[in-house]
Amino acid sequence: MRPRRAYAEPYRIKMVEPIRLIPREARVAAIERAGYNVFNLSSDDVYIDLLTDSGTAAMSDSQWSALMKGDEAYAGSRSFHRLRRVVSDITGYEYVAPAHQGRGAEHVLMAALVKPGQRVLGNMHFDTTTGHILLRGAEPVNLLRQEGYRVHSDAPFKGDIDLEALRRELEAHAAEGLIPLVIMTVTCNSNGGQPVSMANIRAASELAQAYGVPFFFDCARFAENAYFIKEREPGYARKSVRDIAREMFSYGDGCIMSAKKDGLVNIGGFVAFRSEEMYRKALEWLIPFEGFATYGGLSGRDMEALAVGLEEVLDEAYLEDRIGQVHYLAELLTEQGVPIITPAGGHGVYVDAAAFLPHLSRAKFPAQALVVELYVEAGVRGVELGACAFGRIDETTGETIYPELELVRLAVPRRVYTDRHMAYVAQAFGRIADRREGIGGLRLVYEAPVLRHFTARFERL
Ligand code: PLI
């Protein structure tokens, strides 16, 4: 199951960005000022930042030099045409519209295709996708197969959709026109960056087609997904990751992408279609909200860097190193006795905070408490995905409804940190594990009505 890592990092470092570990007392003061919420920290006070793998990649020398070739024309930019050619070559989708980032692409797609009262099916929609479906007055429906919710498993494709549940939904609602599209998120971020198998993609696409429903990908991490297929799915070991990606996209009608992940850029996204009609519909929303059809909120140089990033991300030496590094961190944490979601996914390690701090009830925000502890111990910033991010109050009973899992995500930025950084993170967890019984919980003292985890404030109990 462990991805191969035959060589050292397939790059050498040409430019460095200094980072520093501020003293422990300063970290204690910083997190207190931040209301025990790492989103409120200044990044200068963070030593190793594992908050997200989104928009945090290091660009290559080729990408930096491509920036100089940016054509900043408002309309018909040469850089757009270059990006369009690269996207069409990988996806097979002819009609490409840039967007400022993933949620911009989601907005355009949902506005073009989704109407109030409809149901948007998927393996597991990401939060912003869920938000855009809800904003259309529609219902996001997650049909991840049961295995995907198990913390410990050796299933190779925990991002797969439950095909029987998909068939039932289509059978019940497609004929009335209540299902505007199915979205397959690859990899599936919300349960740990878990891959979806080609067999599952093919079968889900065939089902959608049989019911006349468009099939789309949220392909933020498509190259990582393709690499997992090559490593784990029978029949794909000898195929190139590029060919695997092409086959995957061949089963779809289009895609939305946050290029801040597998685009290897710091900002950007796009939506792409097989059908000109859908593309025309999308332009009605793209132009007023994102920008003209040939830039969609990006500068010409952004599009140049993205065109190069989409090629580089398919380099198998890069992917072997990338996914290998995430799995190396997972192994080190397991050696320290830290419970994590298994198998580890493509872009980060997800720690089971409820199992790590069993003395803290959900009401005491154990995952948030662990995020705070990791920052104080080592200056490392992870993120809570548990009671704060996903808990909500039942409007009728006033009771808190907790999500199934209480996790801390350690997302690994692409090409940014070395294995020594990973070892440092794991050692910090080892020190925390030794004194975990003494770690106290938190009390929520401020919350916004939506997406409360970004701005919440806590006090120590
Ligand atoms: O952050 P955006 O707007 O570029 O992309 C939104 C988005 C869409 N789909 C998926 C699968 C995502 O993971 C995603 C963003 N993810 C973030 C920010 C993350 O930290 O995982």
Side-chain angles (χ1 to χ4, degrees):
M1 193 62 79
R2 182 182 170 202
R4 274 178 312 118
R5 266 180 121 198
Y7 310 100
E9 283 84 350
Y11 52 84
R12 57 188 175 194
I13 297 165
K14 191 176 265 185
M15 191 191 288
V16 294
E17 179 185 2
I19 51 175
R20 70 187 174 124
L21 179 62
I22 61 171
R24 189 180 185 99
E25 315 80 73
R27 301 198 293 274
V28 168
I31 197 71
E32 193 185 333
R33 272 197 313 278
Y36 298 97
N37 182 348
V38 291
F39 280 102
N40 296 329
L41 287 172
S42 158
S43 71
D44 279 347
D45 293 338
V46 175
Y47 180 43
I48 296 178
D49 202 347
L50 306 184
L51 183 69
T52 179
D53 65 317
S54 180
T56 51
M59 293 208 299
S60 68
D61 52 353
S62 303
Q63 287 178 291
W64 280 105
S65 47
L67 292 180
M68 289 305 296
K69 301 205 174 122
D71 171 4
E72 307 302 342
Y74 187 98
S77 158
R78 173 177 74 234
S79 305
F80 164 73
H81 290 297
R82 176 155 186 225
L83 174 63
R84 193 194 62 73
R85 275 196 303 277
V86 171
V87 172
S88 298
D89 178 62
I90 296 169
T91 62
Y93 308 143
E94 191 176 339
Y95 301 97
V96 179
H100 81 280
Q101 61 181 84
R103 64 201 74 183
E106 287 163 1
H107 178 209
V108 168
L109 181 73
M110 304 309 164
L113 299 190
V114 179
K115 296 193 185 69
Q118 291 185 319
R119 298 167 72 76
V120 179
L121 315 182
N123 50 347
M124 207 174 187
H125 301 296
F126 182 67
D127 324 11
T128 52
T129 323
T130 300
H132 279 291
I133 295 167
L134 292 171
L135 281 169
R136 297 296 297 165
E139 177 77 16
V141 182
N142 293 328
L143 302 172
L144 189 72
R145 76 177 172 123
Q146 217 40 48
E147 188 71 34
Y149 291 102
R150 284 188 36 204
V151 175
H152 301 293
S153 162
D154 54 9
F157 293 104
K158 284 170 72 181
D160 280 0
I161 201 166
D162 179 336
L163 293 167
E164 196 37 47
L166 176 63
R167 198 195 55 74
R168 277 199 303 272
E169 275 282 339
L170 288 164
E171 181 63 35
H173 303 294
E176 305 157 67
L178 284 181
I179 316 241
L181 76 161
V182 174
I183 302 176
M184 192 70 108
T185 301
V186 293
T187 56
C188 184
N189 185 3
S190 307
N191 73 334
Q194 300 293 334
V196 184
S197 66
M198 193 72 88
N200 192 256
I201 290 168
R202 192 184 308 119
S205 154
E206 279 168 10
L207 269 174
Q209 199 178 9
Y211 286 88
V213 171
F215 188 79
F216 274 72
F217 294 98
D218 174 342
C219 64
R221 299 176 180 88
F222 76 98
E224 291 172 5
N225 200 85
Y227 187 76
F228 278 119
I229 289 175
K230 182 180 170 89
E231 287 284 296
R232 298 181 180 175
E233 191 161 348
Y236 287 93
R238 287 164 180 277
K239 296 206 164 127
S240 71
V241 168
R242 179 184 290 269
D243 283 347
I244 294 171
R246 281 194 179 126
E247 180 184 338
M248 180 188 90
F249 286 115
S250 77
Y251 300 121
D253 296 291
C255 63
I256 40 177
M257 179 165 187
S258 166
K260 298 171 72 174
K261 286 81 167 171
D262 275 354
L264 296 176
V265 288
N266 306 116
I267 196 72
F270 59 83
V271 49
F273 302 91
R274 204 178 283 292
S275 135
E276 183 175 357
E277 192 190 333
M278 276 187 201
Y279 167 70
R280 297 269 160 230
K281 190 92 199 120
L283 286 191
E284 292 173 20
W285 295 89
L286 186 89
I287 295 171
F289 284 98
E290 294 290 302
F292 184 63
T294 59
Y295 75 88
L298 297 179
S299 63
R301 56 182 174 271
D302 291 330
M303 293 189 280
E304 289 285 343
L306 174 53
V308 176
L310 288 169
E311 295 285 356
E312 289 182 353
V313 80
L314 292 170
D315 173 3
E316 295 182 18
Y318 157 77
L319 284 164
E320 175 186 325
D321 179 65
R322 156 73 179 155
I323 292 176
Q325 186 176 53
V326 170
H327 285 241
Y328 173 64
L329 175 60
E331 247 170 53
L332 296 181
L333 288 168
T334 304
E335 279 168 18
Q336 299 283 353
V338 179
I340 59 168
I341 289 193
T342 58
H347 65 283
V349 179
Y350 290 58
V351 175
D352 183 352
F356 190 70
L357 300 176
H359 61 288
L360 295 183
S361 69
R362 302 298 293 278
K364 294 180 178 167
F365 298 99
Q368 188 70 20
L370 183 54
V371 166
V372 167
E373 209 54 38
L374 182 62
Y375 174 71
V376 170
E377 177 63 38
V380 175
R381 176 157 67 173
V383 71
E384 189 255 19
L385 297 176
C388 179
F390 302 127
R392 62 189 172 85
I393 309 289
D394 186 311
E395 280 172 17
T396 45
T397 64
E399 301 268 310
T400 305
I401 303 173
Y402 294 106
E404 208 162 313
L405 300 175
E406 185 69 23
L407 303 172
V408 172
R409 182 180 77 171
L410 306 170
V412 183
R414 295 167 180 79
R415 303 192 292 209
V416 169
Y417 294 116
T418 67
D419 285 1
R420 276 174 66 196
H421 292 109
M422 299 301 115
Y424 172 89
V425 172
Q427 282 158 13
F429 264 98
R431 293 194 300 276
I432 295 171
D434 290 342
R435 55 175 175 76
R436 65 178 105 178
E437 290 80 14
I439 296 173
L442 297 167
R443 174 177 46 232
L444 191 61
V445 292
Y446 167 76
E447 61 178 305
V450 284
L451 296 173
R452 65 178 182 174
H453 52 295
F454 290 115
T455 53
R457 297 188 73 85
F458 297 86
E459 280 173 4
R460 282 196 191 275
L461 282 169

